[in-house]
Every structure is written in C-alpha cells, then in structure tokens.
Amino acid sequence: MVKKSVLAAALVAAAALTLSACGGSDNDGKKPIADVSMETKTKAATVLDVPFTKPNLVLTDTHGKKYDLREKTKGKPTLIYFGYTECPDVCPLIMSNIAIAKKSLPEADRDKLQVVFVTTDPERDTPSSLGSWLKSQDPAFIGLTGDFPTIQAGARQIGIGIDAPKKEKDGTVISMHGSQVMAFSPKTDKGYALYSEDTTPDDYAKDLPKIIKGEKP
C-alpha cells in the first residue's frame, strides 16, 4: 500500500459520504484501496491530478457477447458506473440522470458518448435482465456482467470498492458498492473526473460537452 496524500484521503472520505443504502465499501473502513489525488472540485466533478487507467475488463454484454472494455471504448468519451438493477434508489437515479442529460446533446455527440453500466450483482443481472433494465433508461447504454471476482478487480483498478452481494434476514439481497461515476477522456483513455450520486441532470448536461471533447469539466 502506497503512502496516501492529504488530498487523496480527503477525496476518499468524500466518496465514502456518497455511499447509498445500496452502496458501501469493500474494505470495511480500512485504508483506501486506491491512491487518488484531487486537483480541483467543481460544482459537480472532482477532477483528478493523477487520472486512472481504464480497467482491464473483459466481460459479457447484454447480447451475450464478449466485451473488451479497453478495446471497445478506446478513443471514445466514456462514463463508467458499477451498480445493480435491483438497487432500490441510487443506481436507477444515477442512470436516469445521465440519460436525461444525454438527450440534451446534439445527435453527433450522443453517438460518441459511451455509458457503461457494470453490474455488481452478476448472479441476478444476467445479460437478458440487464439489457431489459438498461433499455428503459437508454437503449444505447452498455451493460456488462460476468464473474464477481473479475468485476470486483476491475472496480478496484479505478478505486471503487464493491462487496459480494449478501442476503439479509428478510431475504432481500444487498450489493454494496461505491456510487461514483468516472469519466474517461477520448484523448488519453484515462479516468480523470468523478461524479457523486448527488450530480443532477443539469450538472451532467453542463459537463458532458467538455468530456466528449476530452476537456476538463
């Protein structure tokens, strides 16, 4: 574990505050799993001075086909979010907010933007069920599933913690996960901006044109 900077600790602490009822940390309050530095905080985005490399993830898309995240999204503006379809509130809200903001973009920009939803509950989120859920948000959204260890390792690569789904005493299944959306630049393929669950459609609408161009939001 590398030494954490003060700003890194502040960012991780801030991220922890955004964890929802369906989200959480996979390290039970221990030291942060990633070394992150915060360059500046705008109204909506946290811009990182040390961006993340795009996760090395090969999963299955909603059509049941192999999907290499790095290969498929190379050179494209990309938003990545880890969540699950049975989430009662935060996950559908975040995806809906992005979908609403995307509609405000010119058609050419809408076609460029890649929005990737990676399930944290792969046992229940099959390609078919994941595809049906995302279609109600935006048919162009990309849904990925696979084995949990692979998904968890991919999330860790960008500093997002997730736990394996657990069944509660009342029978409900909870998937604990970080609730941040990470934006990747089409110029560098690096993850350089984080958005919390509090980001509104207007916030995204303001920042997406810059993200699509590879500019700082």
Side-chain angles (χ1 to χ4, degrees):
M1 184 70 68
V2 293
K3 183 178 180 180
K4 307 298 180 297
S5 69
V6 174
L7 288 177
L11 178 55
V12 173
L17 295 176
T18 69
L19 298 176
S20 66
C22 71
S25 170
D26 72 347
N27 57 355
D28 299 322
K30 299 176 183 178
K31 292 183 178 181
I33 60 174
D35 185 17
V36 188
S37 294
M38 179 172 63
E39 181 180 88
T40 184
K41 182 71 172 70
T42 68
K43 180 179 179 181
T46 298
V47 180
L48 309 178
D49 66 357
V50 181
F52 282 102
T53 298
K54 192 172 290 181
N56 183 19
L57 266 178
V58 180
L59 296 170
T60 302
D61 67 16
T62 55
H63 302 289
K65 296 182 179 180
K66 173 183 173 182
Y67 190 97
D68 186 319
L69 180 65
R70 286 183 177 175
E71 178 184 318
K72 294 290 188 178
T73 62
K74 184 177 182 180
K76 300 177 181 179
T78 304
L79 301 181
I80 295 178
Y81 178 70
F82 288 81
Y84 67 116
T85 65
E86 296 293 329
C87 174
D89 40 36
V90 173
C91 298
L93 176 62
I94 287 175
M95 299 309 289
S96 176
N97 286 345
I98 294 173
I100 292 171
K102 181 183 170 186
K103 291 179 181 178
S104 69
L105 296 171
E107 184 176 355
D109 284 346
R110 292 199 301 268
D111 292 341
K112 293 176 183 177
L113 182 66
Q114 307 293 295
V115 180
V116 181
F117 181 95
V118 184
T119 182
T120 60
D121 186 10
E123 185 173 337
R124 292 188 295 171
D125 285 344
T126 63
S128 177
S129 64
L130 183 56
S132 296
W133 187 81
L134 286 173
K135 187 176 181 180
S136 67
Q137 301 282 354
D138 186 319
F141 283 178
I142 300 161
L144 300 179
T145 187
D147 65 272
F148 182 80
T150 298
I151 292 170
Q152 185 180 51
R156 284 177 179 272
Q157 290 175 39
I158 56 174
I160 294 176
I162 62 175
D163 280 343
K166 296 179 181 179
K167 183 175 289 188
E168 301 292 294
K169 292 181 179 180
D170 63 0
T172 59
V173 178
I174 301 296
S175 176
M176 305 291 281
H177 61 88
S179 57
Q180 295 76 43
V181 174
M182 182 165 287
F184 289 80
S185 168
K187 295 180 178 179
T188 64
D189 281 319
K190 298 287 187 178
Y192 68 108
L194 284 173
Y195 292 88
S196 75
E197 64 187 69
D198 297 323
T199 306
T200 68
D202 287 342
D203 291 331
Y204 280 118
K206 179 180 178 181
D207 286 3
L208 284 179
K210 297 177 182 178
I211 291 171
I212 289 169
K213 295 177 182 178
E215 300 173 352
K216 291 183 180 179

